[in-house]
Amino acid sequence: MFRPVATTAARRLATASAAPTVATAAARRNVSFALTDEQREFQDLARKFTAEEIIPKAAHHDKTGEYPKEIIKKAWELGLVNTHVPQAYGGLGLGVLDGAIITEELAFGCTGIQTAIEANGLAEAPVILAGNDFQKKKYLGRMTEEPLMAAYGVTEPGAGSDVAGIKTKAEKQGDKWVINGQKMWITNAGHANWFFVLARTNPDPKAPAGKAFTGFIVEADTPGITVGRKEINMGQRASDTRGITFEDVVVPEENVLGEVGAGFKIAMGAFDITRPLVAAAAVGLANRCLHEAATYAAQRKTMGKPILAHQAVSFMLADMAMGIEASRLLVWRSAADRDQGLRNTYYASAAKCMAADVANKCAADAVQIFGGNGFNTEYPVEKLMRDAKIFQIYEGTSQIQRVILSKFIADKYM
Amino acid sequence: MSLRVLVGVKRVIDYNVKIAVRGDKSWVETANVKHSVNPFDEIAIEAAVQAKEAKLVGEVIAVSCGPPKAQESLRTALAMGADRAIHVEIPDGSEKTLEPLAVAKLFKKIAQDEKMLAGLLNWPQGTFASKIDLNAGDKSLVVTREIDGGLETIKTALPAVVTADLRLNTPRFATLPNIMKAKKEAHQEVHARRPSASTCRRASRFSRSRSRPSARVVAVSPTSTS
């Protein structure tokens, strides 16, 4: 009885990680944690922009909920928006890692403003992945010619994590498609020029998810679209999230993204690009928490010394630092893998889950370090705590990320 | 022939960084410390690029004397709108002993090589400029300078040397597309030649000749260090 057990155990030890193994020699690389000169310049630009344009105005946009139109326009002028649009359509064609570096810097300033900018990338991802040349020229091209916004419409009032449960339907009528349904929590809904919409095109409830849905590009001024009021959320209040109702919204055949029935895969495929970026934003927020808390702790004195000199406080900062470094590396790994054409779902989920949880812990600890001041709106950390929560929810809840990781582990070990 | 502007650019420790002295007191800590373009140099680049955009100036050339890493500053200058960049490369570490006069003479040589009119030492200058009005037509410059007592306005002929003060302008951000373009633009590399090596010791030679006691009157030559 020993041998089978021994070999199984040995096999498990040898391949202890559940990560998908790197398939080809071509995909292997020398590990480097250094950024290229160009990436460092992008980082510097984003950092400077954040310090001069975002940080001074973030509190205002948080208090009033006013959409940061001017800031987004300036970011767009500098090329910080729509970074993934391929060069053929007027974009910079930057990779996910480049995007992650820029995103982390912007998020350090304000994740609400950064989310508004990021939502463009989320809407564009399905088009970049599955659009034909005509669609890319028309819908990506316009994003680089004018500072327009776009939105990704998948979530509904009754279906968030359960994407396969969405009820918005699209029916073919003649040579057009007619969409009916409701979407909810759509970022940039109030300012979008066009939407990516996922709708059910196969009415058979037994049809597998991978064949039942289709992605559409829908112009925002199409008759039948009613955009709801701007929702008042706990945090990231500069970002604009709303419900949208579709009543007999007519969409031309040319706006079908990819194949009819392939929508689910396209929508999920977009996440491999966008999850690392959302995770990068969470890292940026966590870093801001560390920065604010450490700066405060170096000046605030209790019992005769700066509170940074008390281990209870400095240990919290040390934990923040560890979390930030680790989640940043997961972000970089998931982003770099994607840039190399590898399947990065495993690392993207890990990065998103960890960065979100780290961001929330850092924010709560930052408020703690500020003490009574931390609870007050005159100090920057209560906003960070309110902003951090959504990272555990959108772009795939922390629970869903764990479901994804569990599946990888199960596939490997069962 | 259109006017051209030569802008000096230096890679320095970022102004936000808390400067620390090295343990052996030999220099300040520079390893792993954030460096950027001297903010005043950025203002100077901005002034030059604005003049180019106003069609008063035909070409903006950025120059930096420094170790290999100085290229980062030159790329920033290109990304902001400079047309060309010249890197006078000196060995890593020797930037600590690079004297201002040596840099000035390098500039003079570059100005002469670039066939910019006249020698550096004979040019008028407007320093601490907070406002510059360039008249390309009659080749003159009106410079408002910030001095201790307030503002002073002077008029000079061209060519001239101008140094930038904080209130001259607000430098633009280098845009992402320009950063990517600057990486591809070739820039000239000029290696430091012997004359600069000998001029590195200017300060000591000057003071030594001044303080050296002498029994008879010596004809004082201002060019004793060249």
Side-chain angles (χ1 to χ4, degrees), chain B residues 146-196:
Chain B
E146 297 210 356
I147 58 175
D148 290 342
L151 296 174
E152 180 195 51
T153 308
I154 60 170
K155 184 171 177 188
T156 77
L158 292 179
V161 175
V162 178
T163 68
D165 206 323
L166 274 183
R167 275 157 286 281
L168 181 57
N169 59 48
T170 307
R172 65 194 59 195
F173 293 113
T175 69
L176 228 64
N178 284 346
I179 290 174
M180 288 170 72
K181 261 188 242 147
K183 186 178 154 211
K184 296 188 201 119
E185 258 168 63
H187 51 257
Q188 279 170 257
E189 291 240 356
V190 180
H191 289 274
R193 289 172 296 269
R194 274 196 64 246
S196 344

Side-chain angles (χ1 to χ4, degrees), chain A residues 72-91:
Chain A
I72 295 176
K73 179 156 183 281
K74 284 186 186 160
W76 180 88
E77 282 164 3
L78 291 175
L80 292 168
V81 187
N82 308 321
T83 52
H84 307 294
V85 171
Q87 294 189 356
Y89 309 102

Side-chain angles (χ1 to χ4, degrees), chain A residues 8 118 143 308 358:
Chain A
T8 319
E118 200 63 57
M143 303 299 284
L308 188 53
V358 162

